[in-house]
């Protein structure tokens, strides 16, 4: 058995880098009273059309189960950072929506968070190398988490409720992934 296989090295390096970066980012998030999953949830909402996502799309984007995302949204809702919004045309669907308080909390941590990202990651790579690296990460992400962009493209139905289009997040897409 080859314990020095480059595949093991690649995964080991990725794991070490992720753990190291997250350790460096944690203090700023803690000062803003946000866990990693809280931050991931509010930043995904902030970056989504109308700063909202269907709960099922939020679960897909974060990699949480539907019950897991419900617990996170419940906690963020109690803190006033997120609100739930019903879909007027589909009683089964609801949205998680970033509130003004959620936006304020996010904006309070973003400057330091971005500095930490720059210091531990993006500044270390020249622009061209960073773009190549980001393209590589997207290629891998699209295979291992095909639903990571669920809800990013929205279309409005006749009742004014936004429906997901083109998310690529279905059982066939997951099953077809090599």
């Amino acid at each position: 058995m080859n314990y020095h296989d480059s595949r093991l090295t690649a995964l080991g390096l990725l794991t070490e880098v992720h753990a190291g970066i997250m350790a460096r980012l944690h203090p700023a998030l803690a000062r803003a009273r946000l866990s990693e999953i809280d931050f991931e949830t509010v930043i995904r909402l902030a970056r989504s059309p109308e700063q909202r996502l269907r709960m099922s799309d939020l679960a897909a984007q974060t990699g949480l189960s539907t019950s897991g995302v419900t617990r996170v949204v419940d906690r963020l809702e109690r803190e006033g950072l997120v609100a739930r919004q019903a879909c007027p045309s589909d009683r089964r669907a609801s949205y998680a929506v970033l509130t003004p308080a959620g936006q304020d909390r996010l904006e309070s941590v973003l400057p330091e968070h971005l500095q930490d990202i720059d210091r531990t990651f993006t500044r270390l790579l020249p622009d061209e190398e960073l773009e190549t690296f980001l393209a590589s990460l997207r290629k891998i992400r699209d295979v291992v988490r095909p639903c990571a962009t669920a809800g990013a493209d929205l279309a409005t139905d006749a009742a004014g409720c936004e429906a997901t289009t083109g998310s690529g997040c279905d059982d066939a897409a997951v099953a077809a992934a090599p």
Side-chain angles (χ1 to χ4, degrees):
M1 180 57 64
N2 179 7
Y3 298 115
H4 300 284
D5 188 304
S6 62
R7 295 171 291 187
L8 295 172
T9 302
L11 188 59
L13 285 170
L14 187 61
T15 302
E16 291 168 3
V17 167
H18 177 263
I21 289 173
M22 294 315 295
R24 301 271 180 101
L25 300 178
H26 181 75
L29 297 179
R31 281 190 292 281
R33 300 178 326 276
L34 292 170
S35 69
E36 288 176 29
I37 192 61
D38 292 346
F39 178 80
E40 184 176 357
T41 301
V42 295
I43 193 69
R44 286 181 181 273
L45 291 174
R47 293 173 57 127
S48 296
E50 297 184 31
Q51 296 189 323
R52 69 182 187 164
L53 283 169
R54 283 181 186 248
M55 292 288 287
S56 57
D57 291 336
L58 184 57
Q61 282 195 20
T62 58
L64 293 172
S65 65
T66 52
S67 63
V69 83
T70 296
R71 286 190 296 275
V72 171
V73 169
D74 283 347
R75 184 176 62 253
L76 294 172
E77 193 172 33
R78 283 191 299 274
E79 291 185 43
L81 306 180
V82 171
R84 281 193 174 81
Q85 185 179 75
C87 174
S89 66
D90 184 354
R91 292 187 334 200
R92 298 168 296 169
S94 65
Y95 294 93
V97 182
L98 188 65
T99 64
Q103 189 171 4
D104 289 347
R105 177 86 59 92
L106 187 56
E107 288 175 6
S108 77
V109 73
L110 269 181
E112 184 178 359
H113 187 69
L114 291 170
Q115 286 176 352
D116 289 343
I117 291 170
D118 194 42
R119 187 173 25 257
T120 61
F121 177 31
T122 56
R123 184 178 67 198
L124 304 176
L125 303 174
D127 290 344
E128 185 176 301
E129 199 173 327
L130 180 59
E131 288 305 314
T132 300
F133 184 64
L134 293 176
S136 297
L137 288 175
R138 286 185 181 100
K139 186 183 297 185
I140 296 165
R141 187 261 335 259
D142 290 347
V143 170
V144 300
R145 296 238 348 248
C147 300
T149 59
D153 297 322
L154 298 175
T156 303
D157 66 18
C161 184
E162 298 194 356
T164 305
T165 60
S167 69
C169 184
D170 58 23
D171 292 336
V174 174

